[in-house]
């Protein structure tokens, strides 16, 4: 705690780390990509973090955060490739099984894979027969080629409105869990994602960011 923490994120993980750090009285620095959405930047700062900008993707921001950690001794809180992060996300899977025992298919948006891997574990613990489907933005879909190759591969470039799941390479830990779980993957293009955002607003009165609407 004395060394502080550092994280990298397009904005969601950033806010969680900033809030937790402020509640514990720990200094936090968050690296975000250039072009991160203004509401997420403002919220992260409001929760008490110092925001730095690096690169145009979460991957580039993560590299800068790792370098900062090595240079200053701040503890790196990885956005998806860590057992504690995956374990935390597993609680979502547990809640799905508890609240919706009738569920037979669970659809999860995926970037680095932490959320999907965690939900896979949580669902499997309570209802091992449920089918898991991962969804990625078509222009940032790192999992289909990685699963075909049998190991994480890095995409040479990405372009999508779904910044929250625009991660060029699957995390090593999530990849192993997702591969073992036999998750089916689907990809959606930005036009489909935009239509899903509008549908959520019109039909369900929910304001959902593109990364969250990909699964819809």
């Amino acid at each position: 705690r004395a060394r502080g923490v550092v994280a990298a994120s397009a904005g969601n993980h950033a806010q969680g780390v900033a809030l937790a750090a402020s509640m514990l009285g720990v200094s936090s620095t968050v690296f975000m990509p250039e072009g991160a959405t203004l509401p997420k930047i403002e919220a992260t700062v409001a929760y008490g973090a110092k925001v730095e900008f690096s690169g145009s993707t979460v991957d580039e921001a993560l590299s800068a955060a790792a370098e900062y950690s090595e240079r200053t001794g701040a503890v790196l809180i990885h956005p998806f490739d860590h057992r504690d992060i995956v374990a935390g996300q597993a609680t979502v899977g547990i809640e799905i099984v508890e609240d919706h025992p009738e569920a037979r298919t669970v659809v999860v948006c995926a970037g680095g894979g932490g959320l999907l891997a965690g939900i896979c574990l949580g669902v499997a613990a309570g209802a091992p027969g449920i089918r898991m489907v991962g969804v990625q933005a078509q222009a940032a879909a790192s999992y289909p080629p990685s699963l075909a190759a049998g190991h994480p591969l890095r995409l040479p470039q990405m372009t999508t409105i779904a910044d929250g799941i625009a991660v060029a390479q699957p995390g090593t830990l999530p990849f192993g869990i997702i591969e073992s779980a036999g998750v089916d993957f689907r990809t959606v293009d930005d036009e489909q994602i935009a239509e899903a955002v509008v549908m959520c607003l019109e039909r369900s009165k929910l304001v959902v960011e593109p990364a969250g609407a990909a699964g819809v």
Side-chain angles (χ1 to χ4, degrees):
R1 293 187 184 186
R3 299 199 304 269
V5 298
V6 60
S9 166
N12 296 326
H13 179 65
Q15 293 172 65
V17 170
L19 176 59
S22 66
M23 292 173 70
L24 293 169
V26 177
S27 64
S28 62
T29 300
V30 176
F31 284 82
M32 302 178 76
E34 297 283 354
T37 59
L38 191 58
K40 290 181 180 180
I41 296 170
E42 291 178 341
T44 303
V45 171
Y47 284 134
K50 176 185 178 184
V51 173
E52 302 277 359
F53 298 98
S54 182
S56 58
T57 66
V58 172
D59 303 82
E60 292 172 332
L62 186 55
S63 294
E67 187 278 329
Y68 179 90
S69 174
E70 292 177 5
R71 176 165 47 85
T72 66
V75 178
L76 176 64
I77 310 297
H78 201 286
F80 52 84
D81 202 5
H82 193 282
R83 59 183 297 168
D84 291 341
I85 295 295
V86 173
Q89 309 285 26
T91 62
V92 179
I94 292 170
E95 288 183 20
I96 289 171
V97 173
E98 290 178 347
D99 294 349
H100 296 281
E102 76 284 0
R104 290 297 173 265
T105 301
V106 176
V107 181
V108 184
C109 311
L115 177 63
L116 175 56
I119 292 179
C120 281
L121 295 176
V123 166
I130 288 181
R131 176 189 176 213
M132 298 297 302
V133 178
V135 182
Q136 291 200 293
Q138 195 172 78
S142 59
Y143 265 92
S146 295
L147 289 168
H151 59 86
L153 297 176
R154 178 174 294 277
L155 297 175
Q157 60 183 18
M158 299 178 295
T159 305
T160 177
I161 61 173
D163 63 312
I165 54 173
V167 178
Q169 182 172 325
T172 302
L173 177 63
F175 178 83
I177 295 169
I178 290 167
E179 183 180 41
S180 296
V183 177
D184 291 329
F185 269 87
R186 298 291 183 269
T187 62
V188 290
D189 61 32
D190 278 9
E191 183 176 349
Q192 291 172 300
I193 293 173
E195 289 175 353
V197 169
V198 174
M199 190 186 77
C200 287
L201 183 61
E202 292 182 342
R203 301 292 182 86
S204 302
K205 311 307 178 195
L206 296 172
V207 180
V208 180
E209 67 170 299
V216 176

